[in-house]
Amino acid sequence: MAEHNTTTTAPPSMDPVTLAVLRGRLEQIADEMDATLYRSAFNPIIAEAHDACHGLYDAVSGDTLVQGKSGLPVFVGAMAFAVRAAMRAAGERGGITAGDTWLFNDPYEGGTHANDFKLVRPFFRGGKLYCFLASAAHWHDVGGNVPGNYNPAATECWQEAVQIPPVRIVRGGVFDDDVLAILKANTRLPDSLWGDLNGQLAALDLGERRLHDLLDQYGDALVQQAMGELRTRAVKLMQSHIAALPDGRYSFSDILDNDGVKDEPLTIALDMTVQGERLTLDFSRTSPQCAGPVNISRATAIAACYVALKHLFPDVPANAGVLDAVDFVLPEGLVISAARPRPVGGYTETILRMIDVIFSATAQADPKRAMAQAYGTINALSIAGLRTDAARKGQRWVMFSFFGGGHGGHSDGDGLSHGNAPISTATIPPLEILEAAYPVRFTQWALRPDSGGDGEHRGGLGAIYEIELLEQDAEVFIFGERGKAAPQGISGGSASSMNVFSYENNSEWKQPPMRSKMIGIRLKQGERVRLETPGGGGYGVPAARAAAARDKDLAMGYVTAPATAKGKA
C-alpha cells in the first residue's frame, strides 16, 4: 500500500519579516555546525569534500526542521530516520536524557551506508525536550574487507564495515572511552576517526550554544512557531508545484550495470502519478534486492526522492514538508528497500539512478521543469598500501575519493561540466590535497572531450583523471556505474558517453571484467589508474542547437568534430 504523509494544520499567524529573520538565524546555526566540522575534521572527505550534514529535528516525530545550506541534501531525508532510531534506542534504555549523545552507523535504521556515522543529541530547555540536534559525516575507514569500505564484492553488511547500533558516546555529559576503544579497534586509521568524532561533537556543542542564544533572545514559543510555519510553507509550495504539473501517470526505467557479484543489470523503475496537489512515486517494478552492495534501505530511498524533488523545486524550504504532499509505494524486498544483512555500501550509485528516473519521468510531464540525466556515478576509488620511507615505514595509508562528471542539459542552457553528483553539495577533493596527503601523482585532470550528450542544450562534459602510484606497491578498489548504460537525454536530446575505468599492469592497460567494479587490483611504483567519467545527457533535439554554440564547442575543444557519436564508451 502507498504510504501517506500527513500534512500539518494551518499555520499560526506570524509576520513575514520575523519569520524570515528566524529562518535565517536557524539556518545559520546549522551552517555554523557544518563549518565547525569542516574546519576540524582530519579526513579530507569531510574537511575538503564536505561529506557531512547538520540540522535540527522535531522532538516528537524526529522530522527535519532545519538544515544548513552546505550539508549534503541526501542526509536531510535520511537523518530523520536516524533521529527516530536514536529515540527508539533511548526509549528502550532509560529514556531520552539531557547530556546524552547517541552514535551509530546502522544504514538500515538511519539510512545511507556504514561510513556515515550519525550523532544525535537531545536539546533541553527548562528541563523539557525542545528538539534534537544531529550530525552525520563520512568517516574515512571503519573496518570491513576493503580500505575505505566501498567493497564491490560484499555479499553481506559485515564484509563492508563494522556495524554499530545506537549507543551513547556521551552519557550525562561524560564521554565514554570504552565505546571509543571499540571504534578505534575497528579502523585502519584510528587518528582520522578520533579527529572526525571530535569534530562532530564540537559541532553539536556549538549548535547547543547558538540555539540557546536564539531562544533567549526570541523566546521558546516564537521560535517553535516559526519552525512549524516553515514546514507548513514547504507543504504549500510543494502542493502548488505539483498542481502545476498535468495530471497523469508518467513512467521511466533505467538500469544499474550490475551488483558487483553477478554481471547482470538491475532495473530501477518509476511510475509517477500526478493527481491534483498530490504526487505518488511508485517503484514497485524495480528489481528485487540483490547479492551485491548496490542495495539501499527504505530510509535511503526516501531520502533520494527528497533530493530529486528539491532539485526540481528548489524554492521549497529544506525541511520535512517537502515530502508531506508525496506518497511512496516501496514494497519490501526491492533493491531500494533491502533489509539486513544485504550489503548497502554502494548506496550512492543506486540513489543516483533513482534521481535519474525521477528527472526523466518529470520531463514527460513538464520538460522545462526537468533536466537531462547527470553522469550518474561517484566512481568511489580507493588506493591503499604501506609507507616504505624511513620516517613512516610500515604506516598504513588509504586514499579514498570520489570524482566528478557532467550534468544534464536543461531548458535554460547547457549542463555543468565536471560537477559533483546531484546527491550532494559536496566538492570534489582538490588534487593538491590528495597529492599532499598520499603517495600519488595526478598525471592528468582534464575535461573529457565528446562526453556530453548532444542537443539544443548540450550535456556537461565528464572528466579524465589519471593517477600514478609513487610508493613501491598498492592495492586498488573501484566502485562505479554507468559502464554499460549511458546517461540519457530528454526532449530529443542524445545520451552522453559512458564511464571507463582502466589500470596499468606491466605496461599494459586493462579494464575490469564488470566494467565499473573491481577489487584487488595490484599496482607497482609508476603504474597508473585512469577514470574517464560520463558527461550529462542532452536537452532538446540536436538540430535545434545554435550554429554559434556548435562553433564554440569546437573551438573550446568540448567536441573534436562537428558531429561526434554519443552514448559509446
Side-chain angles (χ1 to χ4, degrees):
M1 294 179 63
E3 176 183 304
H4 294 271
N5 290 298
T6 304
T7 56
T8 56
T9 57
S13 176
M14 176 177 285
D15 72 273
V17 174
T18 301
L19 182 62
V21 170
L22 288 175
R23 175 181 177 178
R25 288 287 298 273
L26 288 164
E27 289 179 351
Q28 180 63 24
I29 292 172
D31 287 342
E32 283 196 68
M33 293 168 73
D34 286 341
T36 298
L37 176 57
Y38 300 155
R39 293 172 183 172
S40 58
F42 286 19
N43 166 14
I45 297 300
I46 301 173
E48 298 294 336
H50 297 175
D51 195 344
C53 173
H54 297 84
L56 280 61
Y57 299 83
D58 188 81
V60 177
S61 66
D63 288 347
T64 303
L65 298 172
V66 176
Q67 188 212 6
K69 295 181 287 294
S70 59
L72 260 66
V74 71
F75 285 147
V76 179
M79 279 301 291
F81 290 90
V83 171
R84 291 171 201 143
M87 293 169 68
R88 286 193 297 271
E92 295 166 359
R93 285 176 260 164
I96 299 170
T97 306
D100 288 353
T101 301
W102 293 83
L103 170 147
F104 61 104
N105 71 338
D106 187 333
Y108 308 95
E109 293 288 342
T112 65
H113 61 174
N115 285 88
D116 296 332
F117 267 76
K118 291 89 175 176
L119 272 64
V120 178
R121 179 178 294 179
F123 178 86
F124 283 79
R125 286 280 289 184
K128 294 182 179 180
L129 180 64
Y130 188 83
C131 67
F132 290 91
L133 302 175
S135 171
H138 180 115
W139 289 7
H140 203 156
D141 181 273
V142 283
N145 283 9
V146 168
N149 308 114
Y150 266 81
N151 179 7
T155 56
E156 57 183 12
C157 60
W158 299 284
Q159 296 170 349
E160 297 184 303
V162 62
Q163 305 287 304
I164 304 295
V167 295
R168 294 178 182 92
I169 189 67
V170 180
R171 184 190 295 263
V174 179
F175 186 84
D176 193 321
D177 289 310
D178 291 339
V179 174
L180 176 62
I182 293 170
L183 294 171
K184 292 177 75 172
N186 283 280
T187 177
R188 298 168 177 87
L189 302 166
D191 289 343
S192 177
L193 180 150
W194 175 229
D196 295 345
L197 173 58
N198 271 299
Q200 287 184 266
L201 290 169
L204 292 174
D205 290 343
L206 180 135
E208 278 194 302
R209 295 195 301 272
R210 294 290 189 264
L211 187 52
H212 277 303
D213 291 344
L214 178 65
L215 297 175
D216 289 345
Q217 181 177 355
Y218 284 92
D220 297 14
L222 187 66
V223 175
Q224 193 83 51
Q225 183 181 358
M227 290 190 288
E229 173 84 4
L230 290 171
R231 177 167 183 163
T232 300
R233 293 196 173 199
V235 177
K236 290 184 176 297
L237 268 174
M238 277 297 298
Q239 289 173 331
S240 67
H241 284 313
I242 293 168
L245 297 173
D247 281 1
R249 182 181 175 93
Y250 308 97
S251 300
F252 196 86
S253 299
D254 207 335
I255 65 167
L256 297 167
D257 293 345
N258 51 58
D259 67 358
V261 176
K262 195 172 185 179
D263 197 11
E264 294 182 357
L266 298 162
T267 299
I268 307 295
L270 170 65
D271 297 307
M272 183 179 83
T273 301
V274 179
Q275 187 171 8
E277 294 183 337
R278 294 206 69 81
L279 182 71
T280 300
L281 301 178
D282 183 348
F283 292 93
S284 301
R285 295 186 294 110
T286 295
S287 291
Q289 58 190 5
C290 58
V294 296
N295 299 288
I296 61 174
S297 68
R298 190 174 187 282
T300 307
I302 291 175
C305 295
Y306 171 94
V307 175
L309 293 171
K310 276 291 293 165
H311 276 291
L312 293 168
F313 311 119
D315 59 331
V316 180
N319 61 53
V322 172
L323 299 180
D324 282 349
V326 183
D327 301 322
F328 297 96
V329 182
L330 283 165
E332 294 181 2
L334 301 180
V335 71
I336 57 173
S337 57
R340 192 188 311 275
R342 299 283 183 166
V344 295
Y347 88 100
T348 50
E349 310 308 289
T350 307
I351 65 174
L352 284 169
R353 204 63 67 254
M354 289 187 70
I355 293 170
D356 285 340
V357 300
I358 292 173
F359 283 178
S360 295
T362 303
Q364 298 172 22
D366 183 0
K368 291 184 178 180
R369 171 69 66 177
M371 60 286 291
Q373 293 180 358
Y375 65 107
T377 175
I378 71 163
N379 273 319
L381 177 69
S382 180
I383 306 176
L386 299 175
R387 300 279 188 175
T388 57
D389 59 285
R392 295 173 290 183
K393 188 173 179 63
Q395 186 180 110
R396 180 176 286 278
W397 63 276
V398 179
M399 189 198 95
F400 171 81
S401 192
F402 48 82
F403 297 90
H407 283 232
H410 46 86
S411 60
D412 290 332
D414 294 344
L416 174 70
S417 294
H418 191 227
N420 205 354
I423 57 174
S424 73
T425 52
T427 60
I428 302 160
L431 70 88
E432 294 86 354
I433 296 295
L434 297 175
E435 288 184 339
Y438 309 111
V440 300
R441 177 190 295 124
F442 280 81
T443 54
Q444 192 170 5
W445 181 300
L447 294 179
R448 181 186 179 190
D450 301 321
S451 57
D454 199 2
E456 180 182 2
H457 299 300
R458 174 182 46 75
L461 302 185
I464 302 173
Y465 307 91
E466 193 171 273
I467 308 169
E468 178 186 353
L469 177 67
L470 302 182
E471 261 293 357
Q472 289 186 5
D473 57 63
E475 194 169 9
V476 178
F477 310 86
I478 181 68
F479 199 126
E481 267 293 331
R482 287 300 191 195
K484 295 183 178 180
Q488 297 299 298
I490 60 173
S491 300
S494 300
S496 71
S497 294
M498 290 187 286
N499 199 25
V500 179
F501 174 77
S502 51
Y503 60 96
E504 190 178 21
N505 275 167
N506 299 318
S507 300
E508 181 183 352
W509 284 95
K510 302 177 181 178
Q511 294 183 5
M514 291 195 186
R515 300 293 292 273
S516 57
K517 303 174 183 69
M518 190 172 178
I519 65 172
I521 300 168
R522 303 298 309 188
L523 288 187
K524 297 177 183 177
Q525 190 173 56
E527 292 183 329
R528 296 162 290 170
V529 296
R530 183 189 297 140
L531 276 166
E532 300 171 60
T533 68
Y539 178 98
V541 294
R545 187 162 181 79
R550 292 202 176 278
D551 291 342
K552 182 179 179 181
D553 288 344
L554 196 58
M556 296 294 292
Y558 299 155
V559 298
T560 56
T564 303
K566 300 297 191 292
K568 298 180 180 179

Short mmCIF file of all heavy atoms in Angstrom, two decimals, residues 208-256:
data_model
loop_
_atom_site.label_atom_id
_atom_site.label_comp_id
_atom_site.label_asym_id
_atom_site.label_seq_id
_atom_site.Cartn_x
_atom_site.Cartn_y
_atom_site.Cartn_z
N GLU A 208 24.30 23.69 20.24
CA GLU A 208 23.58 23.91 21.50
C GLU A 208 23.70 25.36 21.97
O GLU A 208 22.72 25.99 22.36
CB GLU A 208 24.12 22.97 22.58
CG GLU A 208 23.58 21.57 22.54
CD GLU A 208 23.92 20.82 23.83
OE1 GLU A 208 25.11 20.70 24.15
OE2 GLU A 208 22.97 20.37 24.51
N ARG A 209 24.93 25.88 21.97
CA ARG A 209 25.15 27.25 22.43
C ARG A 209 24.37 28.25 21.57
O ARG A 209 23.72 29.16 22.09
CB ARG A 209 26.63 27.59 22.42
CG ARG A 209 27.47 26.78 23.40
CD ARG A 209 28.83 27.41 23.61
NE ARG A 209 29.61 27.54 22.38
CZ ARG A 209 30.42 26.60 21.90
NH1 ARG A 209 30.52 25.42 22.54
NH2 ARG A 209 31.11 26.79 20.79
N ARG A 210 24.44 28.09 20.26
CA ARG A 210 23.77 29.03 19.37
C ARG A 210 22.25 28.96 19.51
O ARG A 210 21.56 29.98 19.44
CB ARG A 210 24.18 28.75 17.92
CG ARG A 210 25.63 29.02 17.62
CD ARG A 210 25.94 30.52 17.65
NE ARG A 210 27.27 30.76 17.15
CZ ARG A 210 28.35 30.90 17.94
NH1 ARG A 210 28.21 30.82 19.26
NH2 ARG A 210 29.54 31.11 17.41
N LEU A 211 21.72 27.76 19.69
CA LEU A 211 20.27 27.64 19.83
C LEU A 211 19.80 28.22 21.15
O LEU A 211 18.75 28.90 21.20
CB LEU A 211 19.85 26.17 19.70
CG LEU A 211 18.34 25.89 19.66
CD1 LEU A 211 17.65 26.72 18.60
CD2 LEU A 211 18.08 24.40 19.43
N HIS A 212 20.55 28.02 22.22
CA HIS A 212 20.19 28.66 23.49
C HIS A 212 20.19 30.18 23.34
O HIS A 212 19.28 30.86 23.84
CB HIS A 212 21.19 28.25 24.60
CG HIS A 212 20.88 26.93 25.25
ND1 HIS A 212 19.67 26.66 25.86
CD2 HIS A 212 21.64 25.81 25.38
CE1 HIS A 212 19.68 25.42 26.35
NE2 HIS A 212 20.87 24.88 26.07
N ASP A 213 21.19 30.73 22.66
CA ASP A 213 21.25 32.17 22.46
C ASP A 213 20.02 32.67 21.70
O ASP A 213 19.44 33.72 22.05
CB ASP A 213 22.51 32.55 21.67
CG ASP A 213 23.79 32.34 22.47
OD1 ASP A 213 23.71 32.20 23.70
OD2 ASP A 213 24.88 32.30 21.84
N LEU A 214 19.63 31.94 20.65
CA LEU A 214 18.47 32.35 19.85
C LEU A 214 17.19 32.31 20.68
O LEU A 214 16.37 33.25 20.63
CB LEU A 214 18.34 31.42 18.63
CG LEU A 214 17.14 31.68 17.71
CD1 LEU A 214 17.25 33.05 17.05
CD2 LEU A 214 17.03 30.58 16.65
N LEU A 215 17.01 31.25 21.45
CA LEU A 215 15.80 31.11 22.26
C LEU A 215 15.78 32.15 23.38
O LEU A 215 14.70 32.66 23.73
CB LEU A 215 15.71 29.70 22.82
CG LEU A 215 15.57 28.58 21.79
CD1 LEU A 215 15.62 27.21 22.45
CD2 LEU A 215 14.30 28.73 20.98
N ASP A 216 16.94 32.46 23.94
CA ASP A 216 16.98 33.51 24.96
C ASP A 216 16.55 34.86 24.39
O ASP A 216 15.91 35.67 25.07
CB ASP A 216 18.41 33.64 25.52
CG ASP A 216 18.81 32.46 26.40
OD1 ASP A 216 17.92 31.70 26.82
OD2 ASP A 216 20.02 32.29 26.63
N GLN A 217 16.89 35.10 23.12
CA GLN A 217 16.57 36.39 22.50
C GLN A 217 15.11 36.49 22.07
O GLN A 217 14.47 37.52 22.27
CB GLN A 217 17.49 36.61 21.30
CG GLN A 217 17.27 37.95 20.60
CD GLN A 217 18.23 38.18 19.45
OE1 GLN A 217 19.15 37.38 19.21
NE2 GLN A 217 18.04 39.27 18.72
N TYR A 218 14.58 35.40 21.47
CA TYR A 218 13.24 35.49 20.87
C TYR A 218 12.16 34.72 21.64
O TYR A 218 10.98 34.92 21.39
CB TYR A 218 13.28 34.96 19.43
CG TYR A 218 13.91 35.92 18.46
CD1 TYR A 218 15.27 35.86 18.17
CD2 TYR A 218 13.16 36.91 17.83
CE1 TYR A 218 15.86 36.74 17.28
CE2 TYR A 218 13.74 37.81 16.94
CZ TYR A 218 15.09 37.71 16.67
OH TYR A 218 15.67 38.60 15.80
N GLY A 219 12.56 33.85 22.53
CA GLY A 219 11.60 33.06 23.28
C GLY A 219 11.35 31.71 22.65
O GLY A 219 11.30 31.58 21.42
N ASP A 220 11.16 30.70 23.50
CA ASP A 220 10.99 29.34 23.01
C ASP A 220 9.76 29.20 22.12
O ASP A 220 9.80 28.54 21.08
CB ASP A 220 10.86 28.37 24.20
CG ASP A 220 12.12 28.33 25.07
OD1 ASP A 220 12.99 29.22 24.91
OD2 ASP A 220 12.21 27.42 25.90
N ALA A 221 8.67 29.81 22.52
CA ALA A 221 7.41 29.61 21.80
C ALA A 221 7.46 30.22 20.40
O ALA A 221 6.97 29.61 19.44
CB ALA A 221 6.25 30.21 22.60
N LEU A 222 8.04 31.41 20.29
CA LEU A 222 8.08 32.07 18.99
C LEU A 222 8.94 31.29 17.99
O LEU A 222 8.56 31.15 16.82
CB LEU A 222 8.60 33.50 19.13
CG LEU A 222 8.52 34.36 17.86
CD1 LEU A 222 7.06 34.60 17.48
CD2 LEU A 222 9.25 35.68 18.06
N VAL A 223 10.09 30.80 18.45
CA VAL A 223 10.95 30.03 17.55
C VAL A 223 10.27 28.73 17.15
O VAL A 223 10.34 28.30 15.99
CB VAL A 223 12.32 29.77 18.20
CG1 VAL A 223 13.18 28.87 17.33
CG2 VAL A 223 13.04 31.09 18.47
N GLN A 224 9.60 28.07 18.10
CA GLN A 224 8.87 26.85 17.78
C GLN A 224 7.77 27.14 16.76
O GLN A 224 7.56 26.36 15.81
CB GLN A 224 8.23 26.28 19.05
CG GLN A 224 7.70 24.86 18.90
CD GLN A 224 8.80 23.83 19.06
OE1 GLN A 224 9.54 23.86 20.03
NE2 GLN A 224 8.90 22.90 18.13
N GLN A 225 7.13 28.26 16.92
CA GLN A 225 6.09 28.67 15.97
C GLN A 225 6.67 28.87 14.58
O GLN A 225 6.08 28.46 13.57
CB GLN A 225 5.44 29.96 16.48
CG GLN A 225 4.28 30.47 15.65
CD GLN A 225 3.71 31.76 16.22
OE1 GLN A 225 4.14 32.26 17.26
NE2 GLN A 225 2.74 32.33 15.52
N ALA A 226 7.84 29.47 14.51
CA ALA A 226 8.48 29.72 13.21
C ALA A 226 8.84 28.41 12.52
O ALA A 226 8.66 28.27 11.30
CB ALA A 226 9.74 30.57 13.41
N MET A 227 9.33 27.43 13.28
CA MET A 227 9.68 26.15 12.66
C MET A 227 8.43 25.45 12.10
O MET A 227 8.48 24.84 11.03
CB MET A 227 10.42 25.27 13.67
CG MET A 227 11.81 25.79 13.99
SD MET A 227 12.87 24.68 14.96
CE MET A 227 12.09 24.78 16.58
N GLY A 228 7.31 25.56 12.81
CA GLY A 228 6.07 25.00 12.29
C GLY A 228 5.60 25.72 11.04
O GLY A 228 5.11 25.10 10.08
N GLU A 229 5.76 27.06 11.03
CA GLU A 229 5.36 27.86 9.87
C GLU A 229 6.20 27.49 8.64
O GLU A 229 5.68 27.39 7.52
CB GLU A 229 5.55 29.34 10.20
CG GLU A 229 5.35 30.28 9.04
CD GLU A 229 3.89 30.64 8.79
OE1 GLU A 229 3.03 30.21 9.58
OE2 GLU A 229 3.63 31.33 7.81
N LEU A 230 7.50 27.28 8.84
CA LEU A 230 8.37 26.95 7.72
C LEU A 230 7.97 25.61 7.10
O LEU A 230 7.99 25.44 5.88
CB LEU A 230 9.83 26.91 8.16
CG LEU A 230 10.44 28.29 8.51
CD1 LEU A 230 11.80 28.12 9.14
CD2 LEU A 230 10.53 29.16 7.26
N ARG A 231 7.61 24.65 7.94
CA ARG A 231 7.16 23.36 7.40
C ARG A 231 5.85 23.53 6.62
O ARG A 231 5.70 22.97 5.52
CB ARG A 231 6.98 22.35 8.52
CG ARG A 231 6.45 21.02 7.99
CD ARG A 231 6.54 19.90 8.99
NE ARG A 231 6.09 18.64 8.41
CZ ARG A 231 6.36 17.45 8.93
NH1 ARG A 231 7.08 17.36 10.02
NH2 ARG A 231 5.91 16.36 8.34
N THR A 232 4.93 24.29 7.18
CA THR A 232 3.66 24.49 6.50
C THR A 232 3.86 25.16 5.14
O THR A 232 3.21 24.81 4.15
CB THR A 232 2.73 25.34 7.38
OG1 THR A 232 2.50 24.65 8.61
CG2 THR A 232 1.39 25.58 6.68
N ARG A 233 4.76 26.13 5.09
CA ARG A 233 5.03 26.80 3.82
C ARG A 233 5.67 25.85 2.82
O ARG A 233 5.40 25.94 1.61
CB ARG A 233 5.91 28.02 4.06
CG ARG A 233 5.17 29.09 4.85
CD ARG A 233 5.84 30.44 4.78
NE ARG A 233 4.99 31.44 5.43
CZ ARG A 233 5.09 32.74 5.23
NH1 ARG A 233 5.99 33.20 4.38
NH2 ARG A 233 4.29 33.58 5.85
N ALA A 234 6.53 24.95 3.30
CA ALA A 234 7.11 23.96 2.39
C ALA A 234 6.03 23.08 1.80
O ALA A 234 6.04 22.77 0.60
CB ALA A 234 8.14 23.11 3.14
N VAL A 235 5.07 22.67 2.62
CA VAL A 235 3.96 21.84 2.13
C VAL A 235 3.17 22.58 1.05
O VAL A 235 2.88 22.05 -0.03
CB VAL A 235 3.01 21.43 3.28
CG1 VAL A 235 1.84 20.63 2.73
CG2 VAL A 235 3.75 20.63 4.33
N LYS A 236 2.82 23.82 1.34
CA LYS A 236 2.00 24.58 0.39
C LYS A 236 2.73 24.83 -0.92
O LYS A 236 2.14 24.77 -2.01
CB LYS A 236 1.57 25.90 1.04
CG LYS A 236 0.55 25.73 2.16
CD LYS A 236 0.08 27.07 2.69
CE LYS A 236 -1.01 26.89 3.75
NZ LYS A 236 -2.22 26.25 3.19
N LEU A 237 4.03 25.11 -0.84
CA LEU A 237 4.80 25.30 -2.07
C LEU A 237 4.86 24.02 -2.89
O LEU A 237 4.70 24.04 -4.12
CB LEU A 237 6.22 25.78 -1.73
CG LEU A 237 6.45 27.28 -1.68
CD1 LEU A 237 7.86 27.58 -1.18
CD2 LEU A 237 6.24 27.91 -3.06
N MET A 238 5.10 22.90 -2.22
CA MET A 238 5.13 21.62 -2.93
C MET A 238 3.79 21.34 -3.59
O MET A 238 3.72 20.90 -4.74
CB MET A 238 5.51 20.48 -1.99
CG MET A 238 6.99 20.30 -1.77
SD MET A 238 7.90 19.88 -3.28
CE MET A 238 7.15 18.30 -3.71
N GLN A 239 2.71 21.57 -2.87
CA GLN A 239 1.39 21.33 -3.43
C GLN A 239 1.14 22.19 -4.66
O GLN A 239 0.57 21.72 -5.66
CB GLN A 239 0.31 21.60 -2.37
CG GLN A 239 0.29 20.55 -1.26
CD GLN A 239 -0.66 20.92 -0.13
OE1 GLN A 239 -0.90 22.11 0.12
NE2 GLN A 239 -1.19 19.93 0.56
N SER A 240 1.58 23.44 -4.62
CA SER A 240 1.37 24.31 -5.77
C SER A 240 2.21 23.87 -6.97
O SER A 240 1.75 23.93 -8.11
CB SER A 240 1.70 25.76 -5.39
OG SER A 240 3.08 25.93 -5.13
N HIS A 241 3.44 23.42 -6.71
CA HIS A 241 4.27 22.93 -7.81
C HIS A 241 3.68 21.66 -8.43
O HIS A 241 3.67 21.50 -9.66
CB HIS A 241 5.68 22.63 -7.30
CG HIS A 241 6.51 23.85 -7.06
ND1 HIS A 241 6.61 24.88 -7.96
CD2 HIS A 241 7.30 24.20 -6.00
CE1 HIS A 241 7.41 25.81 -7.49
NE2 HIS A 241 7.84 25.43 -6.30
N ILE A 242 3.20 20.75 -7.59
CA ILE A 242 2.60 19.51 -8.10
C ILE A 242 1.34 19.83 -8.91
O ILE A 242 1.11 19.27 -9.99
CB ILE A 242 2.29 18.55 -6.93
CG1 ILE A 242 3.60 18.08 -6.28
CG2 ILE A 242 1.48 17.35 -7.43
CD1 ILE A 242 3.40 17.37 -4.95
N ALA A 243 0.54 20.74 -8.38
CA ALA A 243 -0.71 21.10 -9.07
C ALA A 243 -0.45 21.72 -10.44
O ALA A 243 -1.29 21.63 -11.34
CB ALA A 243 -1.52 22.06 -8.20
N ALA A 244 0.73 22.32 -10.61
CA ALA A 244 1.07 22.94 -11.90
C ALA A 244 1.45 21.91 -12.95
O ALA A 244 1.49 22.23 -14.15
CB ALA A 244 2.22 23.93 -11.71
N LEU A 245 1.74 20.67 -12.54
CA LEU A 245 2.03 19.60 -13.49
C LEU A 245 0.74 19.01 -14.04
O LEU A 245 -0.25 18.91 -13.30
CB LEU A 245 2.85 18.49 -12.82
CG LEU A 245 4.23 18.86 -12.28
CD1 LEU A 245 4.83 17.68 -11.49
CD2 LEU A 245 5.17 19.26 -13.41
N PRO A 246 0.71 18.59 -15.28
CA PRO A 246 -0.50 17.95 -15.81
C PRO A 246 -0.80 16.64 -15.08
O PRO A 246 0.12 15.84 -14.84
CB PRO A 246 -0.15 17.68 -17.28
CG PRO A 246 1.01 18.56 -17.58
CD PRO A 246 1.77 18.72 -16.31
N ASP A 247 -2.05 16.45 -14.71
CA ASP A 247 -2.43 15.18 -14.10
C ASP A 247 -2.11 14.04 -15.06
O ASP A 247 -2.25 14.17 -16.28
CB ASP A 247 -3.93 15.16 -13.77
CG ASP A 247 -4.25 15.93 -12.50
OD1 ASP A 247 -3.31 16.49 -11.89
OD2 ASP A 247 -5.44 15.99 -12.13
N GLY A 248 -1.69 12.91 -14.51
CA GLY A 248 -1.40 11.76 -15.36
C GLY A 248 -0.39 10.83 -14.72
O GLY A 248 0.06 11.05 -13.58
N ARG A 249 -0.06 9.78 -15.44
CA ARG A 249 0.89 8.76 -14.99
C ARG A 249 2.09 8.80 -15.94
O ARG A 249 1.93 8.69 -17.16
CB ARG A 249 0.23 7.38 -15.00
CG ARG A 249 1.09 6.23 -14.50
CD ARG A 249 0.28 4.94 -14.60
NE ARG A 249 1.03 3.75 -14.26
CZ ARG A 249 1.08 3.19 -13.05
NH1 ARG A 249 0.41 3.77 -12.05
NH2 ARG A 249 1.77 2.10 -12.83
N TYR A 250 3.27 8.94 -15.39
CA TYR A 250 4.50 9.08 -16.16
C TYR A 250 5.49 8.02 -15.69
O TYR A 250 5.80 7.95 -14.49
CB TYR A 250 5.08 10.48 -15.99
CG TYR A 250 4.06 11.58 -16.25
CD1 TYR A 250 3.37 12.18 -15.20
CD2 TYR A 250 3.78 11.99 -17.55
CE1 TYR A 250 2.43 13.18 -15.44
CE2 TYR A 250 2.84 12.99 -17.80
CZ TYR A 250 2.17 13.57 -16.74
OH TYR A 250 1.23 14.55 -16.98
N SER A 251 6.00 7.23 -16.61
CA SER A 251 6.84 6.09 -16.25
C SER A 251 8.20 6.18 -16.92
O SER A 251 8.32 6.64 -18.07
CB SER A 251 6.16 4.77 -16.67
OG SER A 251 4.92 4.63 -16.02
N PHE A 252 9.21 5.70 -16.19
CA PHE A 252 10.56 5.65 -16.75
C PHE A 252 11.35 4.58 -16.01
O PHE A 252 11.21 4.41 -14.81
CB PHE A 252 11.27 7.00 -16.62
CG PHE A 252 12.49 7.11 -17.50
CD1 PHE A 252 12.37 7.51 -18.82
CD2 PHE A 252 13.75 6.77 -17.02
CE1 PHE A 252 13.49 7.59 -19.65
CE2 PHE A 252 14.87 6.85 -17.83
CZ PHE A 252 14.75 7.25 -19.15
N SER A 253 12.20 3.86 -16.77
CA SER A 253 13.06 2.82 -16.20
C SER A 253 14.49 3.05 -16.64
O SER A 253 14.75 3.55 -17.74
CB SER A 253 12.61 1.42 -16.65
OG SER A 253 11.30 1.15 -16.23
N ASP A 254 15.42 2.65 -15.78
CA ASP A 254 16.84 2.72 -16.09
C ASP A 254 17.51 1.53 -15.41
O ASP A 254 16.87 0.79 -14.66
CB ASP A 254 17.44 4.04 -15.63
CG ASP A 254 18.65 4.47 -16.45
OD1 ASP A 254 19.32 3.59 -17.02
OD2 ASP A 254 18.95 5.67 -16.49
N ILE A 255 18.81 1.36 -15.63
CA ILE A 255 19.48 0.19 -15.07
C ILE A 255 20.76 0.58 -14.35
O ILE A 255 21.37 1.61 -14.62
CB ILE A 255 19.81 -0.86 -16.15
CG1 ILE A 255 20.83 -0.32 -17.16
CG2 ILE A 255 18.55 -1.37 -16.83
CD1 ILE A 255 21.43 -1.39 -18.05
N LEU A 256 21.15 -0.30 -13.43
CA LEU A 256 22.49 -0.34 -12.87
C LEU A 256 23.28 -1.41 -13.64
O LEU A 256 22.71 -2.42 -14.04
CB LEU A 256 22.45 -0.70 -11.38
CG LEU A 256 21.73 0.30 -10.47
CD1 LEU A 256 21.50 -0.33 -9.09
CD2 LEU A 256 22.52 1.59 -10.34
#
